[in-house]
Amino acid sequence: QTFFVDDMMQEHFRLDGIVTLVDAKHIEQHLDDEKAEGAENEAVEQVAFADRMLLNKTDLVSESDLTRIEARLKSINSFAPIHRCCQSKVSVDTVLNIRGFDLQRTLEMDPE
């Protein structure tokens, strides 16, 4: 919210995109976490609002697990591309200057 309230921030910076690092080994248990009424599941929220997802630790799970996880992530957020990686190794071009953030799309998902 700071980016949209502070005029100086808007003048000098832009929110390029939201990059979410997803732990392939543990994401399903986090997506399945039961939360108290009124509480949000942070893992689901982070996937839902991502402009790009880095599916990390792909060396620790099987190909069939990765396929299932990717399908599940896409069911939460079909917009964001998913990039597989190990030890968070990705090209800088994958995470910088992606111009992925769209305030209107975000507000449509969650007006608050």
Side-chain angles (χ1 to χ4, degrees), residues 94-110:
T94 304
V95 294
L96 294 180
N97 203 28
I98 62 174
R99 298 195 179 273
F101 183 75
D102 180 346
L103 179 59
Q104 189 59 41
R105 182 174 55 95
T106 301
L107 291 174
E108 288 171 5
M109 290 172 53
D110 186 3

Side-chain angles (χ1 to χ4, degrees), residues 11 16 26 28 60 69 88 98:
E11 185 177 322
D16 183 45
H26 299 104
E28 291 184 298
L60 301 180
I69 291 165
S88 303
I98 62 174

Side-chain angles (χ1 to χ4, degrees), residues 13-64:
F13 303 99
R14 71 176 160 81
L15 183 55
D16 183 45
I18 298 170
V19 178
T20 298
L21 185 67
V22 178
D23 180 336
K25 180 78 174 165
H26 299 104
I27 186 60
E28 291 184 298
Q29 74 188 47
H30 292 295
L31 294 174
D32 293 337
D33 277 350
E34 298 274 338
K35 300 294 178 182
E37 188 174 331
E40 301 292 335
N41 181 316
E42 289 294 325
V44 172
E45 294 263 313
Q46 289 180 17
V47 168
F49 286 98
D51 295 307
R52 184 142 310 163
M53 289 182 264
L54 303 178
L55 184 56
N56 195 42
K57 299 184 182 179
T58 55
D59 57 323
L60 301 180
V61 296
S62 69
E63 182 62 34
S64 62

Side-chain angles (χ1 to χ4, degrees), residues 53 55 58 63 66-67 70 82-86 89-90:
M53 289 182 264
L55 184 56
T58 55
E63 182 62 34
L66 289 170
T67 300
E70 286 174 332
I82 299 170
H83 298 271
R84 292 182 180 187
C85 57
C86 296
K89 292 180 183 173
V90 294

